[in-house]
Coordinates of all heavy atoms in Angstrom, one line a residue:
M1 N 139.9 96.6 79.7 CA 139.3 97.9 79.8 C 140.2 99.0 79.2 O 141.4 99.0 79.5 CB 138.9 98.2 81.2 CG 138.3 99.6 81.4 SD 137.9 100.1 83.1 CE 137.1 98.6 83.8
D2 N 139.7 99.9 78.5 CA 140.4 101.0 77.9 C 141.0 101.9 79.0 O 140.3 102.1 80.1 CB 139.5 101.8 77.0 CG 140.1 103.1 76.5 OD1 140.1 104.1 77.1 OD2 140.7 103.0 75.4
S3 N 142.2 102.4 78.9 CA 142.9 103.1 80.0 C 142.2 104.4 80.3 O 142.1 104.9 81.4 CB 144.4 103.4 79.6 OG 144.4 104.1 78.4
Q4 N 141.5 105.0 79.3 CA 140.8 106.3 79.5 C 139.5 106.0 80.4 O 139.2 106.8 81.2 CB 140.4 107.0 78.2 CG 141.6 107.6 77.5 CD 141.2 108.3 76.3 OE1 140.1 108.4 75.9 NE2 142.2 108.9 75.6
I5 N 138.9 104.9 80.1 CA 137.7 104.5 80.8 C 138.1 104.2 82.3 O 137.4 104.6 83.2 CB 137.0 103.3 80.2 CG1 136.5 103.7 78.8 CG2 135.8 102.8 81.0 CD1 135.5 104.9 78.7
E6 N 139.2 103.5 82.4 CA 139.7 103.1 83.8 C 140.0 104.4 84.6 O 139.6 104.5 85.7 CB 140.9 102.2 83.7 CG 141.4 101.8 85.0 CD 142.5 100.8 85.0 OE1 142.9 100.4 83.9 OE2 143.0 100.4 86.0
A7 N 140.6 105.4 83.9 CA 140.9 106.6 84.6 C 139.7 107.4 85.0 O 139.6 107.9 86.0 CB 141.8 107.5 83.6
L8 N 138.7 107.3 84.1 CA 137.4 107.9 84.4 C 136.7 107.3 85.6 O 136.3 108.0 86.5 CB 136.4 107.8 83.2 CG 135.0 108.3 83.4 CD1 135.0 109.8 83.7 CD2 134.1 107.9 82.2
F9 N 136.7 106.0 85.7 CA 136.2 105.3 86.9 C 136.9 105.7 88.2 O 136.3 106.0 89.2 CB 136.2 103.8 86.7 CG 135.1 103.3 85.8 CD1 135.4 102.2 84.9 CD2 133.9 103.9 85.7 CE1 134.4 101.8 84.0 CE2 132.9 103.4 84.8 CZ 133.2 102.4 84.0
V10 N 138.2 105.6 88.1 CA 139.1 105.9 89.3 C 138.8 107.3 89.8 O 138.6 107.6 91.0 CB 140.5 105.6 89.0 CG1 141.4 106.1 90.1 CG2 140.8 104.1 88.8
I11 N 138.9 108.3 88.9 CA 138.8 109.7 89.3 C 137.3 110.0 89.7 O 137.1 110.9 90.6 CB 139.3 110.7 88.2 CG1 139.7 112.0 88.7 CG2 138.2 110.9 87.1 CD1 140.9 112.0 89.6
T12 N 136.4 109.3 89.2 CA 135.0 109.5 89.6 C 134.8 109.0 91.0 O 134.0 109.6 91.8 CB 134.0 108.9 88.6 OG1 134.2 109.4 87.3 CG2 132.6 109.1 89.0
H13 N 135.5 108.0 91.3 CA 135.4 107.3 92.7 C 136.2 108.1 93.7 O 135.9 108.1 94.9 CB 135.9 105.9 92.6 CG 136.0 105.2 93.9 ND1 135.5 105.7 95.1 CD2 136.4 104.0 94.2 CE1 135.8 104.8 96.1 NE2 136.3 103.8 95.6
A14 N 137.2 108.9 93.3 CA 138.1 109.5 94.2 C 137.4 110.4 95.3 O 137.9 110.5 96.4 CB 139.1 110.3 93.4
P15 N 136.4 111.2 95.0 CA 135.8 112.0 96.0 C 135.3 111.3 97.2 O 135.3 111.8 98.3 CB 134.7 112.8 95.3 CG 135.1 112.8 93.8 CD 135.8 111.5 93.6
A16 N 134.8 110.1 97.1 CA 134.3 109.4 98.2 C 135.3 109.1 99.3 O 135.1 109.5 100.5 CB 133.7 108.0 97.7
P17 N 136.5 108.6 99.0 CA 137.5 108.4 100.0 C 138.0 109.8 100.5 O 138.4 109.9 101.7 CB 138.6 107.6 99.4 CG 138.1 107.1 98.1 CD 136.9 107.9 97.8
A18 N 138.0 110.8 99.6 CA 138.5 112.1 100.1 C 137.6 112.7 101.1 O 138.1 113.4 102.0 CB 138.6 113.0 98.9
L19 N 136.3 112.4 101.1 CA 135.4 112.9 102.1 C 135.8 112.3 103.5 O 135.6 113.0 104.5 CB 134.0 112.5 101.8 CG 133.3 113.2 100.6 CD1 132.0 112.6 100.3 CD2 133.2 114.7 101.0
A20 N 136.3 111.1 103.5 CA 136.7 110.5 104.8 C 137.9 111.3 105.4 O 138.0 111.5 106.6 CB 137.1 109.1 104.6
L21 N 138.8 111.7 104.5 CA 139.9 112.6 105.0 C 139.4 113.9 105.5 O 139.9 114.4 106.5 CB 140.9 112.7 103.9 CG 141.8 111.5 103.5 CD1 142.6 111.8 102.3 CD2 142.6 111.1 104.6
A22 N 138.5 114.5 104.7 CA 138.0 115.8 105.1 C 137.2 115.9 106.3 O 137.1 116.9 107.0 CB 137.2 116.4 103.9
S23 N 136.6 114.7 106.7 CA 135.7 114.7 107.8 C 136.5 114.8 109.1 O 135.9 115.1 110.2 CB 134.9 113.4 107.8 OG 135.7 112.3 108.1
G24 N 137.8 114.6 109.1 CA 138.5 114.7 110.3 C 138.4 113.6 111.3 O 138.8 113.7 112.4
V25 N 137.8 112.5 110.8 CA 137.6 111.3 111.7 C 139.0 110.8 112.1 O 139.9 110.6 111.2 CB 136.8 110.3 111.0 CG1 136.7 109.0 111.9 CG2 135.4 110.8 110.7
D26 N 139.3 110.6 113.3 CA 140.6 110.1 113.8 C 140.6 108.6 113.8 O 140.7 108.0 114.9 CB 140.9 110.7 115.2 CG 141.2 112.2 115.1 OD1 141.7 112.6 114.0 OD2 141.0 112.9 116.1
D27 N 140.5 108.0 112.7 CA 140.6 106.5 112.6 C 142.1 106.1 112.9 O 143.0 106.9 112.7 CB 140.3 106.0 111.2 CG 138.8 106.2 110.8 OD1 138.0 106.3 111.7 OD2 138.5 106.3 109.6
E28 N 142.2 104.9 113.4 CA 143.6 104.5 113.7 C 144.2 104.1 112.4 O 143.7 103.4 111.6 CB 143.6 103.3 114.6 CG 144.9 102.9 115.1 CD 144.9 101.8 116.1 OE1 144.0 101.8 117.0 OE2 145.8 100.9 116.1
V29 N 145.4 104.7 112.1 CA 146.1 104.6 110.9 C 147.3 103.6 111.2 O 148.1 103.9 112.1 CB 146.6 105.9 110.3 CG1 147.4 105.7 109.0 CG2 145.4 106.9 110.1
P30 N 147.4 102.6 110.3 CA 148.6 101.7 110.6 C 149.9 102.4 110.4 O 150.0 103.3 109.6 CB 148.4 100.6 109.5 CG 147.3 101.0 108.6 CD 146.6 102.2 109.2
F31 N 150.9 102.0 111.1 CA 152.2 102.7 111.1 C 152.8 102.8 109.7 O 153.3 103.8 109.3 CB 153.2 102.0 112.0 CG 153.8 100.7 111.4 CD1 155.0 100.7 110.7 CD2 153.1 99.5 111.6 CE1 155.5 99.5 110.2 CE2 153.6 98.3 111.0 CZ 154.8 98.4 110.3
W32 N 152.6 101.8 108.8 CA 153.2 101.8 107.5 C 152.5 102.9 106.6 O 153.1 103.4 105.7 CB 153.1 100.5 106.8 CG 151.7 99.9 106.7 CD1 151.1 99.0 107.6 CD2 150.7 100.2 105.8 NE1 149.8 98.8 107.2 CE2 149.5 99.5 106.1 CE3 150.6 101.0 104.6 CZ2 148.3 99.6 105.4 CZ3 149.5 101.1 103.9 CH2 148.3 100.4 104.2
A33 N 151.3 103.3 107.0 CA 150.6 104.3 106.2 C 151.0 105.7 106.6 O 150.7 106.7 105.9 CB 149.1 104.2 106.3
L34 N 151.8 105.8 107.6 CA 152.3 107.1 108.1 C 153.7 107.4 107.7 O 154.3 108.4 108.2 CB 152.1 107.2 109.7 CG 150.7 107.1 110.2 CD1 150.7 106.9 111.7 CD2 149.9 108.3 109.7
V35 N 154.3 106.6 106.9 CA 155.7 106.8 106.5 C 155.9 108.2 105.9 O 156.9 108.8 106.2 CB 156.1 105.7 105.5 CG1 157.5 106.0 104.9 CG2 156.1 104.3 106.1
W36 N 155.0 108.7 105.1 CA 155.1 110.0 104.5 C 154.4 111.1 105.3 O 154.2 112.2 104.8 CB 154.6 110.0 103.1 CG 155.4 109.0 102.2 CD1 156.7 109.2 101.7 CD2 155.0 107.7 101.8 NE1 157.1 108.1 101.0 CE2 156.1 107.2 101.1 CE3 153.9 106.9 102.1 CZ2 156.1 105.9 100.5 CZ3 153.9 105.6 101.5 CH2 154.9 105.2 100.7
G37 N 153.9 110.8 106.5 CA 153.2 111.7 107.3 C 151.7 111.4 107.2 O 151.3 110.3 106.8
P38 N 150.9 112.3 107.6 CA 149.4 112.1 107.7 C 148.9 111.8 106.3 O 149.3 112.3 105.3 CB 148.8 113.4 108.2 CG 150.0 114.2 108.7 CD 151.2 113.7 108.1
P39 N 147.9 110.8 106.3 CA 147.3 110.5 105.0 C 146.8 111.6 104.1 O 147.0 111.7 102.9 CB 146.2 109.5 105.4 CG 146.6 108.9 106.7 CD 147.3 110.1 107.4
A40 N 146.2 112.6 104.8 CA 145.7 113.8 104.0 C 146.8 114.5 103.3 O 146.7 114.9 102.1 CB 144.9 114.7 104.9
A41 N 148.0 114.7 103.9 CA 149.1 115.3 103.3 C 149.6 114.5 102.1 O 149.9 115.1 101.1 CB 150.2 115.5 104.3
T42 N 149.6 113.2 102.3 CA 150.1 112.4 101.2 C 149.1 112.5 100.0 O 149.5 112.5 98.8 CB 150.3 110.9 101.7 OG1 151.2 110.9 102.7 CG2 150.8 110.0 100.6
V43 N 147.8 112.5 100.3 CA 146.8 112.6 99.2 C 147.0 113.9 98.5 O 146.9 114.0 97.3 CB 145.4 112.5 99.8 CG1 144.3 112.9 98.8 CG2 145.1 111.1 100.3
H44 N 147.3 115.0 99.2 CA 147.5 116.3 98.5 C 148.7 116.2 97.6 O 148.8 116.8 96.5 CB 147.6 117.4 99.5 CG 146.3 117.8 100.1 ND1 145.3 118.4 99.5 CD2 145.9 117.7 101.4 CE1 144.3 118.6 100.3 NE2 144.6 118.2 101.5
S45 N 149.8 115.6 98.1 CA 151.0 115.5 97.4 C 150.8 114.6 96.1 O 151.2 115.0 95.0 CB 152.1 114.8 98.2 OG 153.3 114.8 97.5
R46 N 150.1 113.5 96.2 CA 149.8 112.7 95.1 C 148.8 113.4 94.1 O 148.9 113.2 92.9 CB 149.2 111.4 95.5 CG 150.1 110.5 96.4 CD 151.4 110.3 95.9 NE 151.5 109.6 94.7 CZ 152.6 109.4 94.0 NH1 153.7 109.8 94.4 NH2 152.5 108.8 92.8
T47 N 147.9 114.2 94.6 CA 147.0 115.0 93.8 C 147.8 116.0 93.0 O 147.5 116.2 91.8 CB 146.0 115.7 94.7 OG1 145.2 114.8 95.4 CG2 145.0 116.6 93.8
A48 N 148.8 116.6 93.6 CA 149.7 117.5 92.8 C 150.3 116.8 91.6 O 150.4 117.3 90.5 CB 150.8 118.0 93.7
K49 N 150.7 115.5 91.8 CA 151.3 114.7 90.7 C 150.3 114.5 89.6 O 150.6 114.5 88.4 CB 151.9 113.4 91.2 CG 153.1 113.7 92.1 CD 153.7 112.4 92.7 CE 154.8 112.7 93.7 NZ 155.7 113.7 93.4
V50 N 149.0 114.3 89.9 CA 148.0 114.1 88.9 C 147.8 115.5 88.1 O 147.8 115.4 86.9 CB 146.6 113.8 89.6 CG1 145.5 113.8 88.6 CG2 146.7 112.4 90.2
F51 N 147.7 116.6 88.9 CA 147.6 117.9 88.2 C 148.9 118.1 87.3 O 148.7 118.7 86.2 CB 147.5 119.0 89.2 CG 146.1 119.2 89.7 CD1 145.9 119.2 91.1 CD2 145.0 119.2 88.9 CE1 144.6 119.3 91.7 CE2 143.7 119.4 89.4 CZ 143.5 119.4 90.8
E52 N 150.0 117.7 87.7 CA 151.2 117.8 86.9 C 151.1 117.0 85.6 O 151.4 117.5 84.5 CB 152.5 117.4 87.7 CG 153.8 117.7 87.0 CD 155.0 117.5 88.0 OE1 154.8 116.9 89.1 OE2 156.1 117.9 87.5
T53 N 150.6 115.8 85.7 CA 150.4 115.0 84.5 C 149.4 115.7 83.6 O 149.6 115.6 82.3 CB 149.9 113.6 84.9 OG1 150.8 113.0 85.8 CG2 149.6 112.8 83.7
L54 N 148.4 116.4 84.1 CA 147.4 117.1 83.3 C 147.9 118.4 82.8 O 147.2 119.1 82.0 CB 146.1 117.2 84.1 CG 145.4 115.9 84.5 CD1 144.3 116.2 85.5 CD2 144.9 115.2 83.3
G55 N 149.1 118.9 83.3 CA 149.6 120.2 82.9 C 149.0 121.4 83.6 O 149.1 122.5 83.1
D56 N 148.3 121.2 84.7 CA 147.7 122.2 85.5 C 148.6 122.7 86.6 O 148.5 122.4 87.7 CB 146.4 121.7 86.1 CG 145.5 122.8 86.7 OD1 146.1 123.8 87.1 OD2 144.3 122.5 87.0
R57 N 149.5 123.6 86.2 CA 150.6 124.1 87.1 C 150.1 124.8 88.3 O 150.7 124.6 89.4 CB 151.6 124.9 86.3 CG 152.4 124.1 85.3 CD 153.6 124.9 84.8 NE 154.2 124.3 83.7 CZ 155.1 123.3 83.8 NH1 155.3 122.8 85.0 NH2 155.6 122.7 82.7
Q58 N 149.1 125.6 88.2 CA 148.6 126.3 89.4 C 148.1 125.4 90.4 O 148.4 125.6 91.6 CB 147.4 127.3 89.0 CG 148.0 128.5 88.3 CD 146.8 129.5 88.0 OE1 145.7 129.1 87.8 NE2 147.2 130.8 88.0
N59 N 147.3 124.4 90.0 CA 146.8 123.4 91.0 C 147.9 122.5 91.5 O 147.9 122.0 92.6 CB 145.7 122.6 90.4 CG 144.4 123.4 90.5 OD1 144.1 124.0 91.6 ND2 143.6 123.3 89.5
V60 N 149.0 122.3 90.7 CA 150.1 121.5 91.2 C 150.8 122.3 92.4 O 150.9 121.7 93.4 CB 151.2 121.3 90.1 CG1 152.5 120.7 90.7 CG2 150.7 120.5 88.9
A61 N 151.1 123.6 92.2 CA 151.7 124.4 93.2 C 150.8 124.4 94.4 O 151.3 124.3 95.6 CB 152.0 125.8 92.7
R62 N 149.5 124.7 94.2 CA 148.6 124.8 95.4 C 148.5 123.4 96.1 O 148.5 123.4 97.4 CB 147.2 125.1 94.8 CG 146.2 125.4 95.9 CD 144.9 126.0 95.4 NE 145.1 127.1 94.5 CZ 144.7 127.1 93.2 NH1 144.0 126.2 92.7 NH2 144.9 128.2 92.4
S63 N 148.5 122.3 95.4 CA 148.4 121.0 96.1 C 149.7 120.7 96.9 O 149.6 120.2 98.0 CB 148.1 119.9 95.1 OG 146.8 120.1 94.5
Y64 N 150.8 121.1 96.3 CA 152.1 120.8 97.1 C 152.1 121.8 98.3 O 152.6 121.3 99.4 CB 153.3 121.1 96.2 CG 153.7 119.9 95.4 CD1 153.8 120.0 94.0 CD2 153.9 118.7 96.0 CE1 154.2 118.9 93.2 CE2 154.3 117.6 95.2 CZ 154.5 117.7 93.8 OH 154.8 116.6 93.1
A65 N 151.6 123.0 98.2 CA 151.6 123.9 99.4 C 150.7 123.3 100.5 O 151.1 123.3 101.6 CB 151.1 125.3 98.9
T66 N 149.5 122.8 100.1 CA 148.6 122.2 101.0 C 149.2 121.0 101.7 O 149.1 120.8 102.9 CB 147.3 121.9 100.4 OG1 146.8 123.0 99.8 CG2 146.3 121.3 101.4
A67 N 149.9 120.2 100.9 CA 150.6 119.0 101.4 C 151.6 119.4 102.5 O 151.7 118.8 103.6 CB 151.2 118.2 100.3
A68 N 152.5 120.3 102.1 CA 153.5 120.8 103.1 C 152.9 121.3 104.4 O 153.4 121.0 105.5 CB 154.4 121.8 102.4
A69 N 151.8 122.1 104.2 CA 151.2 122.7 105.4 C 150.5 121.6 106.3 O 150.2 121.9 107.4 CB 150.2 123.8 105.0
S70 N 150.2 120.5 105.7 CA 149.4 119.4 106.4 C 150.3 118.4 107.1 O 149.8 117.5 107.8 CB 148.6 118.6 105.4 OG 147.7 119.5 104.7
R71 N 151.6 118.6 107.0 CA 152.5 117.7 107.6 C 153.1 118.2 108.9 O 153.3 119.4 109.1 CB 153.7 117.4 106.7 CG 153.3 116.8 105.4 CD 154.5 116.4 104.5 NE 154.2 116.0 103.2 CZ 153.7 114.9 102.8 NH1 153.5 113.9 103.7 NH2 153.4 114.6 101.5
P72 N 153.3 117.3 109.9 CA 153.8 117.8 111.2 C 155.3 118.1 111.0 O 156.0 117.4 110.3 CB 153.7 116.6 112.1 CG 153.6 115.4 111.2 CD 153.0 115.9 109.9
G73 N 155.7 119.3 111.5 CA 157.1 119.8 111.3 C 158.3 118.9 111.3 O 158.6 118.3 110.3
A74 N 158.9 118.7 112.5 CA 160.2 118.1 112.5 C 160.2 116.6 112.1 O 161.2 116.1 111.6 CB 160.8 118.2 113.9
A75 N 159.1 115.9 112.3 CA 159.0 114.5 112.1 C 159.3 114.2 110.6 O 159.9 113.1 110.3 CB 157.7 113.9 112.5
V76 N 158.8 115.0 109.7 CA 158.9 114.7 108.3 C 159.5 116.0 107.5 O 159.0 116.3 106.5 CB 157.6 114.3 107.7 CG1 157.2 112.9 108.1 CG2 156.5 115.3 108.0
A77 N 160.4 116.6 108.1 CA 161.0 117.9 107.6 C 161.5 117.7 106.2 O 161.3 118.5 105.3 CB 162.1 118.4 108.5
R78 N 162.1 116.5 105.9 CA 162.6 116.3 104.5 C 161.5 116.2 103.5 O 161.6 116.7 102.4 CB 163.4 115.0 104.6 CG 164.0 114.6 103.2 CD 164.8 113.2 103.4 NE 164.8 112.3 102.3 CZ 163.8 111.9 101.5 NH1 162.6 112.4 101.6 NH2 164.0 111.0 100.6
I79 N 160.4 115.6 103.9 CA 159.3 115.5 103.0 C 158.6 116.8 102.8 O 158.2 117.2 101.6 CB 158.3 114.4 103.4 CG1 159.0 113.0 103.5 CG2 157.0 114.4 102.5 CD1 158.2 112.0 104.1
I80 N 158.5 117.6 103.8 CA 158.0 119.0 103.7 C 158.9 119.8 102.7 O 158.4 120.5 101.8 CB 157.9 119.7 105.0 CG1 156.9 119.0 105.9 CG2 157.7 121.2 104.9 CD1 156.9 119.5 107.4
A81 N 160.2 119.6 102.9 CA 161.1 120.3 102.0 C 160.9 119.9 100.5 O 161.0 120.7 99.6 CB 162.6 120.1 102.4
L82 N 160.7 118.6 100.3 CA 160.5 118.1 98.9 C 159.2 118.7 98.4 O 159.1 119.1 97.2 CB 160.4 116.6 98.9 CG 161.8 115.9 99.2 CD1 161.6 114.4 99.3 CD2 162.8 116.2 98.1
D83 N 158.1 118.8 99.2 CA 156.8 119.4 98.7 C 157.1 120.8 98.3 O 156.6 121.3 97.3 CB 155.8 119.3 99.8 CG 155.2 117.9 100.0 OD1 155.2 117.1 99.0 OD2 154.6 117.6 101.1
L84 N 157.8 121.6 99.2 CA 158.0 123.0 98.9 C 158.9 123.2 97.7 O 158.7 124.1 96.9 CB 158.6 123.7 100.2 CG 157.7 123.7 101.4 CD1 158.4 124.3 102.6 CD2 156.4 124.6 101.1
M85 N 159.9 122.3 97.5 CA 160.7 122.4 96.4 C 159.9 122.2 95.1 O 160.1 122.9 94.1 CB 161.9 121.4 96.4 CG 162.8 121.5 95.3 SD 164.2 120.3 95.4 CE 163.2 118.8 95.1
A86 N 159.0 121.2 95.1 CA 158.2 120.9 94.0 C 157.2 122.1 93.7 O 157.0 122.4 92.5 CB 157.4 119.6 94.2
Q87 N 156.7 122.7 94.8 CA 155.8 123.9 94.6 C 156.6 125.0 94.0 O 156.1 125.6 93.0 CB 155.3 124.3 96.0 CG 154.5 125.6 95.9 CD 154.2 126.1 97.3 OE1 154.6 125.6 98.3 NE2 153.4 127.2 97.3
A88 N 157.8 125.3 94.4 CA 158.6 126.4 93.9 C 159.0 126.1 92.4 O 159.0 127.0 91.6 CB 159.9 126.5 94.7
E89 N 159.2 124.8 92.1 CA 159.5 124.5 90.7 C 158.4 124.8 89.8 O 158.5 125.4 88.7 CB 159.9 123.0 90.6 CG 160.3 122.6 89.2 CD 160.6 121.1 89.2 OE1 161.2 120.6 90.2 OE2 160.4 120.4 88.1
Q90 N 157.2 124.5 90.2 CA 156.0 124.8 89.4 C 155.8 126.3 89.3 O 155.4 126.8 88.3 CB 154.7 124.2 90.0 CG 154.8 122.7 90.0 CD 155.0 122.1 88.6 OE1 154.3 122.6 87.6 NE2 155.9 121.2 88.4
Q91 N 156.0 127.0 90.4 CA 155.9 128.5 90.3 C 156.9 129.1 89.4 O 156.6 130.1 88.7 CB 156.1 129.1 91.7 CG 154.9 128.7 92.7 CD 155.2 129.0 94.1 OE1 156.4 128.9 94.6 NE2 154.2 129.3 94.9
A92 N 158.1 128.5 89.3 CA 159.1 129.0 88.3 C 158.6 128.8 86.9 O 158.8 129.6 86.0 CB 160.5 128.3 88.6
H93 N 158.0 127.6 86.7 CA 157.5 127.3 85.3 C 156.4 128.3 85.0 O 156.2 128.6 83.8 CB 157.0 125.9 85.2 CG 158.1 124.9 85.2 ND1 159.0 124.8 84.2 CD2 158.3 123.9 86.0 CE1 159.8 123.8 84.4 NE2 159.5 123.2 85.5
E94 N 155.6 128.7 86.0 CA 154.5 129.7 85.8 C 155.1 131.1 85.5 O 154.4 132.0 85.1 CB 153.6 129.8 87.0 CG 152.7 128.6 87.1 CD 151.8 128.7 88.3 OE1 151.2 129.7 88.5 OE2 151.8 127.8 89.1
G95 N 156.3 131.3 85.9 CA 156.9 132.7 85.8 C 156.6 133.6 86.9 O 156.8 134.8 86.8
V96 N 156.2 133.1 88.1 CA 156.0 133.9 89.2 C 157.1 133.8 90.2 O 157.1 133.1 91.2 CB 154.6 133.5 89.9 CG1 153.4 134.0 89.1 CG2 154.5 132.0 90.2
L97 N 158.2 134.4 89.8 CA 159.5 134.3 90.5 C 159.5 134.8 92.0 O 160.1 134.2 92.8 CB 160.6 135.0 89.8 CG 160.8 134.4 88.3 CD1 162.0 135.1 87.6 CD2 161.1 132.9 88.4
E98 N 158.7 135.8 92.3 CA 158.6 136.3 93.6 C 158.0 135.3 94.5 O 158.4 135.0 95.6 CB 157.7 137.6 93.7 CG 158.4 138.8 93.0 CD 159.7 139.2 93.7 OE1 159.8 139.1 94.9 OE2 160.7 139.6 93.0
Q99 N 156.9 134.6 94.0 CA 156.3 133.5 94.8 C 157.2 132.4 95.0 O 157.3 131.7 96.0 CB 155.0 133.1 94.1 CG 153.9 134.0 94.3 CD 152.6 133.6 93.5 OE1 152.7 132.8 92.6 NE2 151.5 134.1 93.9
E100 N 158.0 132.1 93.9 CA 159.0 131.0 94.0 C 160.0 131.2 95.0 O 160.3 130.4 95.9 CB 159.7 130.8 92.6 CG 160.7 129.7 92.6 CD 161.7 129.8 91.4 OE1 161.6 130.7 90.7 OE2 162.5 128.9 91.3
C101 N 160.5 132.4 95.1 CA 161.5 132.8 96.1 C 160.9 132.7 97.5 O 161.6 132.3 98.4 CB 162.1 134.2 95.8 SG 163.1 134.2 94.3
A102 N 159.7 133.2 97.6 CA 159.0 133.1 99.0 C 158.8 131.7 99.4 O 159.0 131.4 100.6 CB 157.7 133.9 98.9
T103 N 158.5 130.8 98.5 CA 158.3 129.4 98.8 C 159.6 128.8 99.3 O 159.7 128.1 100.2 CB 157.8 128.6 97.6 OG1 156.5 129.2 97.3 CG2 157.6 127.2 98.0

């Protein structure tokens, strides 16, 4: 299968599982799936990487901000810091230095 067609299928299917995250259903999550924090936060972080690949810096920064805000504080402070650092990096590339400094 052509890689562009495969990407089309995957991204077209993506909203269905995303609805499960957005519904707020408290399914039991296996411990290994919580290594990076709540699944929704990890999805936002990975979404940021997709936007980065596509060159969409505004959505990269927004997705990293949402990921950081979706993580529980002290338990994953290092991962929150990495999300915020990536967000600030994108803001620097956009030239919005005040926002970068605030982040």
Side-chain angles (χ1 to χ4, degrees):
M1 178 183 314
D2 177 271
S3 60
Q4 290 184 358
I5 298 300
E6 185 176 355
L8 175 65
F9 286 144
V10 170
I11 203 69
T12 302
H13 173 6
L19 288 173
L21 289 173
S23 71
V25 175
D26 290 331
D27 294 336
E28 188 172 324
V29 179
F31 76 94
W32 56 265
L34 296 171
V35 172
W36 298 282
T42 303
V43 168
H44 287 295
S45 182
R46 301 307 301 175
T47 300
K49 293 179 186 316
V50 171
F51 282 127
E52 189 169 9
T53 300
L54 296 173
D56 186 342
R57 294 193 187 281
Q58 285 184 328
N59 279 318
V60 173
R62 188 174 307 125
S63 294
Y64 276 126
T66 303
S70 301
R71 298 185 192 281
V76 289
R78 179 181 146 316
I79 298 171
I80 293 170
L82 291 171
D83 284 338
L84 293 174
M85 183 181 71
Q87 176 190 3
E89 183 179 326
Q90 294 305 313
Q91 291 167 329
H93 287 299
E94 288 180 51
V96 287
L97 299 181
E98 293 296 324
Q99 288 178 335
E100 176 194 10
C101 291
T103 299

